[in-house]
Amino acid sequence: MELQSIWFFLWGLLWAVFFMTDGFDFGIGTLYPFLGKTDQDKRMMINSIGPLWDGNEVWLLTAGGVTFAAFPKVYAVMFSSLYTPLMLILFALIFRGVAFEFRGKINSEGWKKLWDTFIFLGSFLPALLFGVAFANIFQGIPFDDKGIYHGNTLKLLNPYGLLGGILFVLLFLQHGANWLNIRTTGELRQRAIAVSQKIWLALVPVAVIFLIASYFATDLYANYFKTPALFLVIFVTVAALLATRFFIAGQHFFKAWFASAITIVGATFFGIIGLFPRLFPSSMDAAYSLTAFNASSSPLTLKIMLGVVLVFIPLVIIYQAWSYYFFRHPVSREDLDLEDAY
Amino acid sequence: MDPVFLSRLQFAAATMFHFLFVPLTLGISIIIAYMETKYARTGDTVYLRMTKFWGKLFLINFALGVVTGITLEFQFGTNWSRYSEYVGDVFGSLLAIEASVAFFLESTFIGIWIFGWKKMSAKAHAAVMWVVAAAGNISGIWILTANGFMQNPVGYALRNGRAELTDFFAVLFNYNSILQILHVLPSALVLAAFFIMGISAYHLLKKQHVDVFMRSFKIALPVALVCSVFVALVGDFHGVNVAKTQPAKLAAMESHWETQTRAPIVMFAIPDEKLEKNTIEVISLPGLLSFLGFHDFNAEVKGLKDIPRDERPPVLPVFIGFRTMVGIGTLLILLSVYGWFRRNKIMESPGYLKILMFSIPLPYLAIEMGWVVTEVGRQPWIVYGVLKTADAASPIAATQVLFSLIGFILVYGLLGAVGFYLMAQNAKKGPEAAH
């Protein structure tokens, strides 16, 4: 395989892992006002991701950094074209991050309510906007041969774009609820389990509609028809989605969480495979599209970065997996009493 | 309005705000790791209370540093797309390495540190803090290496309409980057040490929690002394390097217009860029600028007049920035030296303690001004001698940038105010009683 193709795959993988990890943080933040009835519930919810969300968010920086390093032209055109939605996402993430830290620092109702709102918005908006952005990328973005954007931010909210947004929100809600099933206790956990089953009922039809809509709104399936073996990715994703439901019903909550993780990675790869070799397709003229071959860095940079990524990303996965394992138990009274707990 | 100008304002606001939090994170994490190690080794709970007290301030600061850092990476793409496209081959990889090598480590282990109390041994917990401190500083090294490329581009060739990497090791061992690393990281320790001494002084003046704050003070003092002197020494090497590689920056730092030997340093001046001279000059010390730049009182120093107008940086901010940085740096050395001689009589020096309390903002100002000299002094280049800032911005509408700029100012202003308020509240409250 050429260096550029390997990098295309890694690029997709980093985004997929970001959605898989920070995805459940977004889901929990979105469920937060609905499932958190008492202050204790709320604290249990945010402390369930307390030790992890920051490390999860770094996958976004790495996905962005790798886009910059391996495909600088994509980095330039993609982020300048999607200026407004990206800024909204960044502001939302800023608020989410400080909200976790600030919320418990002053003991007043109004203060907590303020940051509660930001936890919700800071989780829901990125989930929605990433979905909208990626669905629009699947359809193609109006930019010319010089990489100048000719679109309108509001047009990103077209039906397929919105469908992508809703799909992402639901995927993350499912994933987040599955994590709550693992790390919370008592009534909150009962509510989380019930909600995780309801979300699934909404997620399945939206996923099916999205798969069908993609056939009409995008040309993602072209690669699949060329190499039918690739349909396996869709089958695995759908199987993982179905398995989620059975694992929840069987009270196998870790397995359910793994299943929703695979669903998210699979859903991302459904699009990434369909895009190949394009990273950022132009809707004005296919010839303007930025691909792994016309937008990549020099072979030397790609080689050095490949070395870096192959050494360090597995290391990251090992110590992050260890920290997940370390914090696998339900959040306890003692955890909430820690001085710097959220 | 000009989108380039707006993007510059936005980037300046975002970086300067980000850098209000970074130095404290870098410096104090090392000092906290040391305190916690002392606790793990001795079991002395005073060290534990210190660790928790400074740790709390560190975490508030850390949160703001993290969330404001993310926007910086993405702004290269959103606002500086032509820059990204042109030098991404070299510059992008440094940012990607920073994230995968260091920032992951820092962010994952900070979570373990906050939530890992009682779940692991005291020694293991202290080791986690060392990982956080090391990872943060390693992050800094990569970012400064990236900035070093903008100051003194090396290891690249102009090919295929962009700068392509040819020699990775040349980029890694860029002399400019090494000087920056040796200047910026210790200055972070200076800031952290003065932060600790200033807050300790507040409590010592009130004679409360004396055990915790006397010991904190004595840990911070030698750090302040050694690092403030070291920062100044490296700064001297910096001056020589700037004279060699960026003569326009040196000339702007000193508002130096005429090329001459035995070039003077003026203590204060008001430059007039149109008339190409200083309208007011106060106290001129002949030969000092030649010495600063070339370690030779008779060396010739290029004046701004011999640099084409369109390659001159704005003089006033660089000139004032440099003076502020050096002035504060000198003052901090004096304060450290004085403190060192009074170290066993601190409680009998209320005047000194008061000065320290009000000195907390000084290193912040010095560091920000240092960046003004470095970054404004590099103008009009974004990559020195390779790409001009005016050619580096994204082809986007000014209104978009205007809205995000307003957003940045409002959001950062608000969060900054809340963050510093919370830090001040917690600093005043003092440590928890021993359990």
Side-chain angles (χ1 to χ4, degrees), chain A residues 20 175 256-266:
Chain A
M20 179 190 97
H175 201 32
W257 182 80
F258 275 115
S260 56
I262 292 169
T263 312
I264 290 175
V265 173

Side-chain angles (χ1 to χ4, degrees), chain A residues 57 75 83 297-298 301 335, chain B residues 70 73 89 105 119 162 404:
Chain A
E57 196 176 273
Y75 187 77
Y83 190 95
S297 277
S298 65
T301 298
D335 292 325
Chain B
I70 297 170
E73 184 192 281
D89 200 71
L105 201 59
K119 280 192 165 65
R162 64 180 178 180
S404 62

Side-chain angles (χ1 to χ4, degrees), chain B residues 68-89:
Chain B
T68 54
I70 297 170
T71 58
L72 289 180
E73 184 192 281
F74 285 96
Q75 274 189 72
F76 287 114
T78 52
N79 293 69
W80 303 99
S81 67
R82 291 199 171 107
Y83 167 82
S84 301
E85 203 178 325
Y86 198 73
V87 299
D89 200 71

